[in-house]
Amino acid sequence: MRREHGTPRDGWEKTIEGQGLAYHRAAHPTGLTRPYWDESVHYVFSMEEIEALEEQVEELHGMCLRAVEHVVSTGRFADFAVPEWAWEEVARSWERRDPHLYGRFDLRYDGTGPAKLLEYNADTPTSLVEASVVQWFWLQDVHPGDDQWNSLHERLIDRWRALRLPPGPVHFAFTNADETGEEAMTVAYLQETAEQAGHATISVAMEDIGWDDLGRRFVDAGDQVIRSAFKLYPWEWMLSDDFGRHAVRHATWIEPLWKALLSNKALLAVLWELHPGHPSLLPAYLDGPRELTSYISKPLLGREGASMRIVTPEGTAETPGRYGREGYVHQGFEALPDFGGQRPVLGAWVVADEAAGLGIRESTGLITDDTSSFVPHRIAD
């Protein structure tokens, strides 16, 4: 694994916008000099490194599924801040094996040993368009003789074909509250993969989904029944909404309700409890840092690196935010590797239950947040 420099393509901004990354200008906070999509640098891997990472990711995914089984069978929903009224519905969703689509592991990796799991974005993962489409076309333009860990597009289409969904169109829901356009473009891309798999689809804003109390069903703005829907709207928000009690019982949602357990950082503590000392895990606890002298406290339902606290013998650092009322997990802290002053996080994707691709975000700080940049990668020939 190494970081290399290169010359950006002429007109790269219009090129990536035409490939779906229309939100790259709005994806960053104002005032940053580095673009969100940065093709002036990229990472190079050997095939042996990628094969090892694929194996580790699929092992981690299997461990996560077994962790869900453990939580459901032991009734540990309170550890995940799931409201008590929803416990039985989460269990039923898992026992039915409600269909799931994809997820993204965030990993610490420097090329010298096993990757370490930082967290699992299993409910509403983003950076998909750049990982699946944009960096693939960058590879074809700039390094056409090399390969890339990227079978996302084909695997998504295959997964949509395999899903057993209720009759009728699949609704694809975005929220009008998205100011950057990232969510809308991610939903539109996934809608395209579903259409390529043969599904009829309809776009709908979450705000326009209605509840037909007489018919006991969800409907869109045109009063068409919603029997199945993909949403980039996290389950913790749905469970706190007025219609949450209906959502857990009506319609097939992708991602399913049981994914609320995998997208919660309490998962990290359960994994460590079930697999203590595993080389791809960092120690993690719910009741405090215990023996850890260097650790990071993460809100169970936090996003974009907000509301985190790093404690080391050298001092303490915190990020602002409004998360954490639901509780924290305390995870052993290992600083992200330094490559030329930048610290990469590997986003390893799974589709269904198989490793499917890689996206990389870089930042100068110890925590990857909304100021990070996405950089492409390649596998050297």
PDB file of all heavy atoms in Angstrom, residues 12 20 27 36 52 64 68 70 137 152 159 167 175 186 216 222 235-236 241 276 282 289 291 315 348 365 378:
ATOM      1  N   TRP A  12     -11.893  17.719 -15.135  1.00  0.00           N
ATOM      2  CA  TRP A  12     -12.346  16.624 -14.266  1.00  0.00           C
ATOM      3  C   TRP A  12     -13.645  16.965 -13.536  1.00  0.00           C
ATOM      4  O   TRP A  12     -14.447  16.068 -13.255  1.00  0.00           O
ATOM      5  CB  TRP A  12     -11.253  16.247 -13.276  1.00  0.00           C
ATOM      6  CG  TRP A  12     -10.884  17.332 -12.291  1.00  0.00           C
ATOM      7  CD1 TRP A  12      -9.904  18.264 -12.432  1.00  0.00           C
ATOM      8  CD2 TRP A  12     -11.520  17.595 -11.033  1.00  0.00           C
ATOM      9  NE1 TRP A  12      -9.866  19.097 -11.343  1.00  0.00           N
ATOM     10  CE2 TRP A  12     -10.848  18.705 -10.457  1.00  0.00           C
ATOM     11  CE3 TRP A  12     -12.561  17.013 -10.330  1.00  0.00           C
ATOM     12  CZ2 TRP A  12     -11.208  19.252  -9.228  1.00  0.00           C
ATOM     13  CZ3 TRP A  12     -12.924  17.544  -9.098  1.00  0.00           C
ATOM     14  CH2 TRP A  12     -12.254  18.643  -8.553  1.00  0.00           C
ATOM     15  N   GLY A  20     -22.419  11.457 -12.043  1.00  0.00           N
ATOM     16  CA  GLY A  20     -23.297  11.364 -10.873  1.00  0.00           C
ATOM     17  C   GLY A  20     -22.796  12.066  -9.641  1.00  0.00           C
ATOM     18  O   GLY A  20     -23.547  12.198  -8.664  1.00  0.00           O
ATOM     19  N   ALA A  27     -20.422  18.974  -0.994  1.00  0.00           N
ATOM     20  CA  ALA A  27     -20.163  17.936   0.003  1.00  0.00           C
ATOM     21  C   ALA A  27     -19.204  18.399   1.084  1.00  0.00           C
ATOM     22  O   ALA A  27     -19.106  17.776   2.130  1.00  0.00           O
ATOM     23  CB  ALA A  27     -19.600  16.685  -0.680  1.00  0.00           C
ATOM     24  N   TYR A  36     -13.472  17.918  -2.592  1.00  0.00           N
ATOM     25  CA  TYR A  36     -13.972  16.669  -2.017  1.00  0.00           C
ATOM     26  C   TYR A  36     -13.442  15.478  -2.812  1.00  0.00           C
ATOM     27  O   TYR A  36     -12.937  14.507  -2.256  1.00  0.00           O
ATOM     28  CB  TYR A  36     -15.499  16.662  -2.013  1.00  0.00           C
ATOM     29  CG  TYR A  36     -16.066  15.293  -1.660  1.00  0.00           C
ATOM     30  CD1 TYR A  36     -15.879  14.763  -0.388  1.00  0.00           C
ATOM     31  CD2 TYR A  36     -16.735  14.529  -2.612  1.00  0.00           C
ATOM     32  CE1 TYR A  36     -16.356  13.505  -0.060  1.00  0.00           C
ATOM     33  CE2 TYR A  36     -17.214  13.276  -2.296  1.00  0.00           C
ATOM     34  CZ  TYR A  36     -17.025  12.778  -1.013  1.00  0.00           C
ATOM     35  OH  TYR A  36     -17.488  11.511  -0.712  1.00  0.00           O
ATOM     36  N   ALA A  52      -6.359 -10.251   0.866  1.00  0.00           N
ATOM     37  CA  ALA A  52      -6.391 -10.378   2.320  1.00  0.00           C
ATOM     38  C   ALA A  52      -7.494  -9.507   2.922  1.00  0.00           C
ATOM     39  O   ALA A  52      -8.205  -9.927   3.840  1.00  0.00           O
ATOM     40  CB  ALA A  52      -5.034 -10.008   2.913  1.00  0.00           C
ATOM     41  N   CYS A  64     -20.518 -10.041  12.401  1.00  0.00           N
ATOM     42  CA  CYS A  64     -21.594  -9.089  12.681  1.00  0.00           C
ATOM     43  C   CYS A  64     -22.958  -9.767  12.636  1.00  0.00           C
ATOM     44  O   CYS A  64     -23.836  -9.493  13.476  1.00  0.00           O
ATOM     45  CB  CYS A  64     -21.544  -7.937  11.689  1.00  0.00           C
ATOM     46  SG  CYS A  64     -20.144  -6.811  11.941  1.00  0.00           S
ATOM     47  N   VAL A  68     -25.770 -10.103  15.680  1.00  0.00           N
ATOM     48  CA  VAL A  68     -27.208  -9.829  15.655  1.00  0.00           C
ATOM     49  C   VAL A  68     -27.967 -11.000  16.269  1.00  0.00           C
ATOM     50  O   VAL A  68     -28.883 -10.812  17.085  1.00  0.00           O
ATOM     51  CB  VAL A  68     -27.697  -9.553  14.229  1.00  0.00           C
ATOM     52  CG1 VAL A  68     -29.218  -9.415  14.201  1.00  0.00           C
ATOM     53  CG2 VAL A  68     -27.036  -8.301  13.669  1.00  0.00           C
ATOM     54  N   HIS A  70     -26.914 -13.055  18.466  1.00  0.00           N
ATOM     55  CA  HIS A  70     -26.674 -13.019  19.905  1.00  0.00           C
ATOM     56  C   HIS A  70     -27.555 -11.970  20.585  1.00  0.00           C
ATOM     57  O   HIS A  70     -28.179 -12.248  21.626  1.00  0.00           O
ATOM     58  CB  HIS A  70     -25.198 -12.713  20.177  1.00  0.00           C
ATOM     59  CG  HIS A  70     -24.905 -12.353  21.598  1.00  0.00           C
ATOM     60  ND1 HIS A  70     -24.801 -13.306  22.597  1.00  0.00           N
ATOM     61  CD2 HIS A  70     -24.718 -11.141  22.206  1.00  0.00           C
ATOM     62  CE1 HIS A  70     -24.553 -12.707  23.750  1.00  0.00           C
ATOM     63  NE2 HIS A  70     -24.498 -11.398  23.537  1.00  0.00           N
ATOM     64  N   PHE A 137     -14.290   4.990 -13.572  1.00  0.00           N
ATOM     65  CA  PHE A 137     -14.014   5.698 -14.824  1.00  0.00           C
ATOM     66  C   PHE A 137     -12.683   6.437 -14.746  1.00  0.00           C
ATOM     67  O   PHE A 137     -11.985   6.580 -15.768  1.00  0.00           O
ATOM     68  CB  PHE A 137     -15.163   6.646 -15.153  1.00  0.00           C
ATOM     69  CG  PHE A 137     -16.376   5.940 -15.691  1.00  0.00           C
ATOM     70  CD1 PHE A 137     -17.553   5.885 -14.968  1.00  0.00           C
ATOM     71  CD2 PHE A 137     -16.335   5.312 -16.933  1.00  0.00           C
ATOM     72  CE1 PHE A 137     -18.664   5.230 -15.461  1.00  0.00           C
ATOM     73  CE2 PHE A 137     -17.442   4.656 -17.444  1.00  0.00           C
ATOM     74  CZ  PHE A 137     -18.611   4.601 -16.698  1.00  0.00           C
ATOM     75  N   LEU A 152     -18.864  -3.313  -7.397  1.00  0.00           N
ATOM     76  CA  LEU A 152     -20.085  -2.829  -6.743  1.00  0.00           C
ATOM     77  C   LEU A 152     -21.282  -2.785  -7.687  1.00  0.00           C
ATOM     78  O   LEU A 152     -22.372  -3.259  -7.348  1.00  0.00           O
ATOM     79  CB  LEU A 152     -19.825  -1.434  -6.167  1.00  0.00           C
ATOM     80  CG  LEU A 152     -19.166  -1.396  -4.790  1.00  0.00           C
ATOM     81  CD1 LEU A 152     -18.539  -0.039  -4.517  1.00  0.00           C
ATOM     82  CD2 LEU A 152     -20.187  -1.750  -3.721  1.00  0.00           C
ATOM     83  N   ARG A 159     -27.837  -8.382  -6.797  1.00  0.00           N
ATOM     84  CA  ARG A 159     -28.557  -8.483  -5.521  1.00  0.00           C
ATOM     85  C   ARG A 159     -30.010  -8.072  -5.683  1.00  0.00           C
ATOM     86  O   ARG A 159     -30.908  -8.721  -5.138  1.00  0.00           O
ATOM     87  CB  ARG A 159     -27.871  -7.614  -4.467  1.00  0.00           C
ATOM     88  CG  ARG A 159     -28.545  -7.673  -3.085  1.00  0.00           C
ATOM     89  CD  ARG A 159     -28.645  -9.100  -2.581  1.00  0.00           C
ATOM     90  NE  ARG A 159     -29.190  -9.145  -1.219  1.00  0.00           N
ATOM     91  CZ  ARG A 159     -29.615 -10.270  -0.633  1.00  0.00           C
ATOM     92  NH1 ARG A 159     -29.551 -11.422  -1.292  1.00  0.00           N
ATOM     93  NH2 ARG A 159     -30.085 -10.250   0.597  1.00  0.00           N
ATOM     94  N   PRO A 167     -45.134  -7.632  -4.648  1.00  0.00           N
ATOM     95  CA  PRO A 167     -45.474  -7.176  -6.004  1.00  0.00           C
ATOM     96  C   PRO A 167     -45.621  -5.659  -6.053  1.00  0.00           C
ATOM     97  O   PRO A 167     -45.928  -5.010  -5.053  1.00  0.00           O
ATOM     98  CB  PRO A 167     -46.804  -7.883  -6.285  1.00  0.00           C
ATOM     99  CG  PRO A 167     -47.367  -8.206  -4.937  1.00  0.00           C
ATOM    100  CD  PRO A 167     -46.195  -8.472  -4.057  1.00  0.00           C
ATOM    101  N   THR A 175     -34.814  12.466   1.241  1.00  0.00           N
ATOM    102  CA  THR A 175     -35.414  13.491   2.082  1.00  0.00           C
ATOM    103  C   THR A 175     -35.175  14.875   1.499  1.00  0.00           C
ATOM    104  O   THR A 175     -34.087  15.170   0.979  1.00  0.00           O
ATOM    105  CB  THR A 175     -34.860  13.449   3.521  1.00  0.00           C
ATOM    106  OG1 THR A 175     -35.381  14.560   4.265  1.00  0.00           O
ATOM    107  CG2 THR A 175     -33.346  13.509   3.545  1.00  0.00           C
ATOM    108  N   THR A 186     -27.324   9.472  -4.445  1.00  0.00           N
ATOM    109  CA  THR A 186     -27.099   8.089  -4.013  1.00  0.00           C
ATOM    110  C   THR A 186     -28.352   7.258  -4.224  1.00  0.00           C
ATOM    111  O   THR A 186     -28.292   6.133  -4.741  1.00  0.00           O
ATOM    112  CB  THR A 186     -26.673   8.048  -2.535  1.00  0.00           C
ATOM    113  OG1 THR A 186     -25.495   8.839  -2.359  1.00  0.00           O
ATOM    114  CG2 THR A 186     -26.397   6.619  -2.094  1.00  0.00           C
ATOM    115  N   ARG A 216     -54.627   0.777   6.402  1.00  0.00           N
ATOM    116  CA  ARG A 216     -53.454   0.283   7.135  1.00  0.00           C
ATOM    117  C   ARG A 216     -52.285   0.040   6.188  1.00  0.00           C
ATOM    118  O   ARG A 216     -51.717  -1.050   6.099  1.00  0.00           O
ATOM    119  CB  ARG A 216     -53.782  -1.010   7.902  1.00  0.00           C
ATOM    120  CG  ARG A 216     -55.009  -0.949   8.787  1.00  0.00           C
ATOM    121  CD  ARG A 216     -54.826   0.029   9.915  1.00  0.00           C
ATOM    122  NE  ARG A 216     -53.780  -0.383  10.867  1.00  0.00           N
ATOM    123  CZ  ARG A 216     -53.317   0.392  11.857  1.00  0.00           C
ATOM    124  NH1 ARG A 216     -53.772   1.627  11.995  1.00  0.00           N
ATOM    125  NH2 ARG A 216     -52.393  -0.077  12.687  1.00  0.00           N
ATOM    126  N   GLY A 222     -49.080  10.186  -4.836  1.00  0.00           N
ATOM    127  CA  GLY A 222     -50.141   9.872  -5.789  1.00  0.00           C
ATOM    128  C   GLY A 222     -51.095   8.810  -5.283  1.00  0.00           C
ATOM    129  O   GLY A 222     -51.858   8.241  -6.072  1.00  0.00           O
ATOM    130  N   TRP A 235     -32.871   4.089  10.695  1.00  0.00           N
ATOM    131  CA  TRP A 235     -33.918   3.489  11.510  1.00  0.00           C
ATOM    132  C   TRP A 235     -34.093   4.201  12.846  1.00  0.00           C
ATOM    133  O   TRP A 235     -35.210   4.285  13.368  1.00  0.00           O
ATOM    134  CB  TRP A 235     -33.648   2.001  11.721  1.00  0.00           C
ATOM    135  CG  TRP A 235     -34.288   1.156  10.670  1.00  0.00           C
ATOM    136  CD1 TRP A 235     -33.680   0.473   9.668  1.00  0.00           C
ATOM    137  CD2 TRP A 235     -35.698   0.925  10.500  1.00  0.00           C
ATOM    138  NE1 TRP A 235     -34.606  -0.166   8.875  1.00  0.00           N
ATOM    139  CE2 TRP A 235     -35.857   0.085   9.370  1.00  0.00           C
ATOM    140  CE3 TRP A 235     -36.847   1.348  11.182  1.00  0.00           C
ATOM    141  CZ2 TRP A 235     -37.108  -0.336   8.920  1.00  0.00           C
ATOM    142  CZ3 TRP A 235     -38.098   0.933  10.728  1.00  0.00           C
ATOM    143  CH2 TRP A 235     -38.215   0.103   9.618  1.00  0.00           C
ATOM    144  N   GLU A 236     -33.013   4.753  13.417  1.00  0.00           N
ATOM    145  CA  GLU A 236     -33.213   5.438  14.699  1.00  0.00           C
ATOM    146  C   GLU A 236     -34.109   6.655  14.547  1.00  0.00           C
ATOM    147  O   GLU A 236     -34.850   7.015  15.468  1.00  0.00           O
ATOM    148  CB  GLU A 236     -31.874   5.817  15.329  1.00  0.00           C
ATOM    149  CG  GLU A 236     -31.043   6.840  14.568  1.00  0.00           C
ATOM    150  CD  GLU A 236     -29.972   6.206  13.708  1.00  0.00           C
ATOM    151  OE1 GLU A 236     -30.139   5.037  13.311  1.00  0.00           O
ATOM    152  OE2 GLU A 236     -28.961   6.884  13.426  1.00  0.00           O
ATOM    153  N   ASP A 241     -40.002   8.754  14.947  1.00  0.00           N
ATOM    154  CA  ASP A 241     -41.055   9.493  14.252  1.00  0.00           C
ATOM    155  C   ASP A 241     -42.434   8.977  14.636  1.00  0.00           C
ATOM    156  O   ASP A 241     -42.597   7.860  15.125  1.00  0.00           O
ATOM    157  CB  ASP A 241     -40.887   9.346  12.737  1.00  0.00           C
ATOM    158  CG  ASP A 241     -39.770  10.209  12.184  1.00  0.00           C
ATOM    159  OD1 ASP A 241     -39.263  11.088  12.914  1.00  0.00           O
ATOM    160  OD2 ASP A 241     -39.414  10.002  11.020  1.00  0.00           O
ATOM    161  N   PRO A 276     -12.981 -11.739  21.805  1.00  0.00           N
ATOM    162  CA  PRO A 276     -11.916 -10.966  22.454  1.00  0.00           C
ATOM    163  C   PRO A 276     -10.552 -11.278  21.847  1.00  0.00           C
ATOM    164  O   PRO A 276     -10.215 -12.436  21.606  1.00  0.00           O
ATOM    165  CB  PRO A 276     -11.994 -11.424  23.919  1.00  0.00           C
ATOM    166  CG  PRO A 276     -12.659 -12.774  23.860  1.00  0.00           C
ATOM    167  CD  PRO A 276     -13.627 -12.709  22.721  1.00  0.00           C
ATOM    168  N   LEU A 282     -10.727  -3.833  17.623  1.00  0.00           N
ATOM    169  CA  LEU A 282     -10.156  -3.046  18.703  1.00  0.00           C
ATOM    170  C   LEU A 282     -10.998  -3.287  19.952  1.00  0.00           C
ATOM    171  O   LEU A 282     -12.221  -3.444  19.846  1.00  0.00           O
ATOM    172  CB  LEU A 282     -10.166  -1.557  18.351  1.00  0.00           C
ATOM    173  CG  LEU A 282      -9.269  -1.146  17.183  1.00  0.00           C
ATOM    174  CD1 LEU A 282      -9.650   0.240  16.679  1.00  0.00           C
ATOM    175  CD2 LEU A 282      -7.809  -1.181  17.609  1.00  0.00           C
ATOM    176  N   PRO A 289     -14.124   2.880  29.757  1.00  0.00           N
ATOM    177  CA  PRO A 289     -12.916   2.465  29.038  1.00  0.00           C
ATOM    178  C   PRO A 289     -12.161   1.323  29.705  1.00  0.00           C
ATOM    179  O   PRO A 289     -11.223   0.785  29.106  1.00  0.00           O
ATOM    180  CB  PRO A 289     -12.073   3.738  29.015  1.00  0.00           C
ATOM    181  CG  PRO A 289     -12.549   4.540  30.173  1.00  0.00           C
ATOM    182  CD  PRO A 289     -14.007   4.238  30.312  1.00  0.00           C
ATOM    183  N   GLU A 291      -9.631  -0.942  31.122  1.00  0.00           N
ATOM    184  CA  GLU A 291      -8.168  -0.921  31.213  1.00  0.00           C
ATOM    185  C   GLU A 291      -7.507  -0.042  30.160  1.00  0.00           C
ATOM    186  O   GLU A 291      -6.284   0.143  30.172  1.00  0.00           O
ATOM    187  CB  GLU A 291      -7.627  -2.353  31.073  1.00  0.00           C
ATOM    188  CG  GLU A 291      -7.538  -2.886  29.644  1.00  0.00           C
ATOM    189  CD  GLU A 291      -8.859  -3.322  29.021  1.00  0.00           C
ATOM    190  OE1 GLU A 291      -9.889  -3.282  29.733  1.00  0.00           O
ATOM    191  OE2 GLU A 291      -8.876  -3.687  27.837  1.00  0.00           O
ATOM    192  N   GLY A 315      -2.978  13.560  26.081  1.00  0.00           N
ATOM    193  CA  GLY A 315      -4.002  14.585  26.200  1.00  0.00           C
ATOM    194  C   GLY A 315      -5.341  14.122  25.667  1.00  0.00           C
ATOM    195  O   GLY A 315      -5.548  12.940  25.363  1.00  0.00           O
ATOM    196  N   ALA A 348     -14.683  -0.320   3.106  1.00  0.00           N
ATOM    197  CA  ALA A 348     -14.804  -1.592   2.388  1.00  0.00           C
ATOM    198  C   ALA A 348     -16.273  -1.983   2.308  1.00  0.00           C
ATOM    199  O   ALA A 348     -16.945  -2.147   3.333  1.00  0.00           O
ATOM    200  CB  ALA A 348     -13.995  -2.674   3.100  1.00  0.00           C
ATOM    201  N   GLY A 365      -6.782  15.176  10.176  1.00  0.00           N
ATOM    202  CA  GLY A 365      -7.015  14.974  11.597  1.00  0.00           C
ATOM    203  C   GLY A 365      -7.110  13.508  11.972  1.00  0.00           C
ATOM    204  O   GLY A 365      -7.081  12.608  11.123  1.00  0.00           O
ATOM    205  N   ARG A 378      -6.039   2.024  -7.010  1.00  0.00           N
ATOM    206  CA  ARG A 378      -5.845   1.044  -8.070  1.00  0.00           C
ATOM    207  C   ARG A 378      -5.023  -0.128  -7.529  1.00  0.00           C
ATOM    208  O   ARG A 378      -4.370  -0.016  -6.485  1.00  0.00           O
ATOM    209  CB  ARG A 378      -5.127   1.654  -9.280  1.00  0.00           C
ATOM    210  CG  ARG A 378      -3.706   2.138  -9.003  1.00  0.00           C
ATOM    211  CD  ARG A 378      -3.134   2.898 -10.204  1.00  0.00           C
ATOM    212  NE  ARG A 378      -1.831   3.495  -9.931  1.00  0.00           N
ATOM    213  CZ  ARG A 378      -0.664   2.937 -10.210  1.00  0.00           C
ATOM    214  NH1 ARG A 378      -0.622   1.719 -10.792  1.00  0.00           N
ATOM    215  NH2 ARG A 378       0.475   3.551  -9.937  1.00  0.00           N
TER     216      ARG A 378
END
